[in-house]
Amino acid sequence: SGSCTVKFDYTVVAGTSGYGSGGNAVNTIAAGGVTSAEGVINTAAIVGSMGFAWGTTIVKSIGAANDTLASGSGSTLTWTINNYNASTLNTATFTDTLPAGLTPGALVAGSNTCGGTVTVSGQTVTLTGGGPLAGAAGYTIPSCKFSVAVTGANSTGSTFSATNAQANYSGISFVDAVLGAVTPYINTLAVTVT
């Protein structure tokens, strides 16, 4: 008796809009589907699974515990760009207009690994000319990030949720080396301001 290992490459077709995950694609070779040169046949099915994802994402998070920020207190907002496509993301540009309740401050020194320029003006945070960001290889998903100081602002006296979603973004320009213009998936971040 003995065993062997069969390996093969597969290609996931990249997406140009958003982010997708196929979870696990299951590949099955039925019993009797493989015969060796010596005439040995597999008596049981051979099952293997492959995980895959594609696209680009912008994921924003806050450093405050439980995503809660007291009025007048400070924290940091971090934007992370992930490239699940196999090709290089050449450039990344976007503007995020923060909702009432979150007042952006300066770029955190040394936090920008995306390249390009990060500017803060009023309620807006802009990344211009970020990249390049290498393509994904195997289970390695390239990412870059930058952080900006943020202060809670509550003039209402009542706790509320400052929700930041895709509608808060504008001027998005992500250009992939192979796919051309791509549209990233953007997460929703809800910060409780007390």
Side-chain angles (χ1 to χ4, degrees), residues 13-170:
V13 178
T16 58
S17 181
Y19 161 79
S21 173
N24 284 321
V26 178
N27 187 25
T28 303
I29 301 174
V34 177
T35 304
S36 72
E38 293 80 18
V40 177
I41 299 173
N42 64 309
T43 56
I46 302 168
V47 179
S49 64
M50 302 166 284
F52 60 91
W54 67 90
T56 56
T57 64
I58 301 172
V59 178
K60 186 164 62 180
S61 58
I62 189 165
N66 301 317
D67 295 342
T68 300
L69 191 59
S71 185
S73 67
S75 186
T76 56
L77 286 172
T78 299
W79 288 258
T80 302
I81 299 172
N82 299 295
N83 184 16
Y84 292 89
N85 290 328
S87 47
T88 298
L89 180 63
N90 283 342
T91 61
T93 295
F94 65 85
T95 296
D96 184 0
T97 302
L98 301 187
L102 300 177
T103 303
L107 175 70
V108 174
S111 71
N112 183 7
T113 64
C114 293
T117 303
V118 176
T119 55
V120 179
S121 177
Q123 285 294 106
T124 66
V125 177
T126 300
L127 170 66
T128 304
L133 186 57
Y139 291 103
T140 302
I141 310 302
S143 64
C144 68
K145 61 186 176 181
F146 64 89
S147 299
V148 167
V150 65
T151 303
N154 187 345
S155 59
T156 68
S158 300
T159 298
F160 67 94
S161 180
T163 301
N164 192 215
Q166 187 158 352
N168 294 82
Y169 287 75
S170 61

